[in-house]
Amino acid sequence: MLIMLAGLVLFFGPHLFTTFRTRQPGQDLRAKLGYGPYMGLFSLITIIGVALIAYGYGAMRPATVLWSPPTALKHINVLIQLFAFIILFAAYTPTGYIKKTLKHPMLVGVKLWAFGHLLANGELNSILLFGSFLAYAVLDRIVLKKRGDNGPPADVKPSVLGDILAAAIGIGVWLLLLLWLHPILFGMPALPGRG
């Protein structure tokens, strides 16, 4: 458990620093270090955190079961993940109606992803992992709103192309995980009752 907790601290530490860092000229660490070195350090710490999270999560198996979700919630999670992936990829495609409406689709996608997994998993390691991501995404959105960051600028007109790309990529990744990659990457099937 300590390894996973250390990974969560290393992963979310740089993210929380970025969330709360000052944007004042002359005091901004990113400006002082330069974008490249700042992002290099951010990425290095984050990657180490991800590695520790993955190792620690697996090391907690067999995990302590805090509650046993009904199979129906596992099926609902599969559907939630479809929407989570489409919304998540909307953050990286040209501004479409999804991005324009949700303002910060990456955070909405992460919240859906984490919430769905919390519904479908009752083990301690899952609750720690997905609960941390959900809490961070909620906190980051609150901070962005207080800072006045309301997503794409008002003068940017949404294009349906961005939504089509987000849907195509999101559905593709969802299908890959659902039918093939989830057991390979995470050691358990995404579809309830398989494996």
Side-chain angles (χ1 to χ4, degrees):
M1 179 197 253
L2 289 177
I3 293 172
M4 190 172 115
L5 291 175
L8 289 169
V9 168
L10 284 175
F11 180 84
F12 287 113
H15 285 82
L16 288 168
F17 177 80
T18 298
T19 298
F20 290 106
R21 74 181 167 83
T22 181
R23 269 67 176 172
Q24 300 280 337
Q27 297 178 15
D28 183 4
L29 182 62
R30 189 166 85 174
K32 285 180 181 177
L33 289 177
Y35 182 77
Y38 178 87
M39 289 310 294
L41 184 60
F42 179 95
S43 300
L44 177 65
I45 295 170
T46 300
I47 289 167
I48 293 169
V50 168
L52 290 175
I53 289 168
Y55 180 81
Y57 185 89
M60 287 179 73
R61 290 185 180 149
T64 304
V65 177
L66 300 179
W67 75 294
S68 296
T71 305
L73 289 180
K74 294 176 185 283
H75 288 289
I76 290 169
N77 176 46
V78 171
L79 183 60
I80 289 172
Q81 297 314 307
L82 172 61
F83 292 106
F85 280 112
I86 292 170
I87 291 168
L88 180 73
F89 284 107
Y92 300 102
T93 58
T95 300
Y97 291 92
I98 296 171
K99 187 187 288 187
K100 191 76 169 175
T101 302
L102 297 178
K103 300 178 183 194
H104 295 281
M106 186 184 76
L107 293 175
V108 176
V110 168
K111 285 188 264 190
L112 281 174
W113 170 81
F115 176 72
H117 281 84
L118 284 170
L119 287 179
N121 297 283
E123 307 87 17
L124 178 61
N125 56 349
S126 295
I127 292 170
L128 287 172
L129 175 66
F130 300 114
S132 297
F133 274 90
L134 180 58
Y136 169 75
V138 169
L139 176 66
D140 195 32
R141 183 61 183 104
I142 291 167
V143 172
L144 284 169
K145 189 171 185 177
K146 284 190 175 185
R147 201 183 315 152
D149 184 340
N150 290 313
D155 60 342
V156 172
K157 294 190 177 182
S159 162
V160 75
L161 175 64
D163 296 328
I164 291 169
L165 286 171
I169 297 166
I171 291 168
V173 170
W174 177 76
L175 284 171
L176 279 172
L177 283 165
L178 186 67
L179 302 175
W180 183 49
L181 285 178
H182 204 277
I184 294 169
L185 295 174
F186 308 112
M188 53 194 341
L191 281 172
R194 289 182 76 178

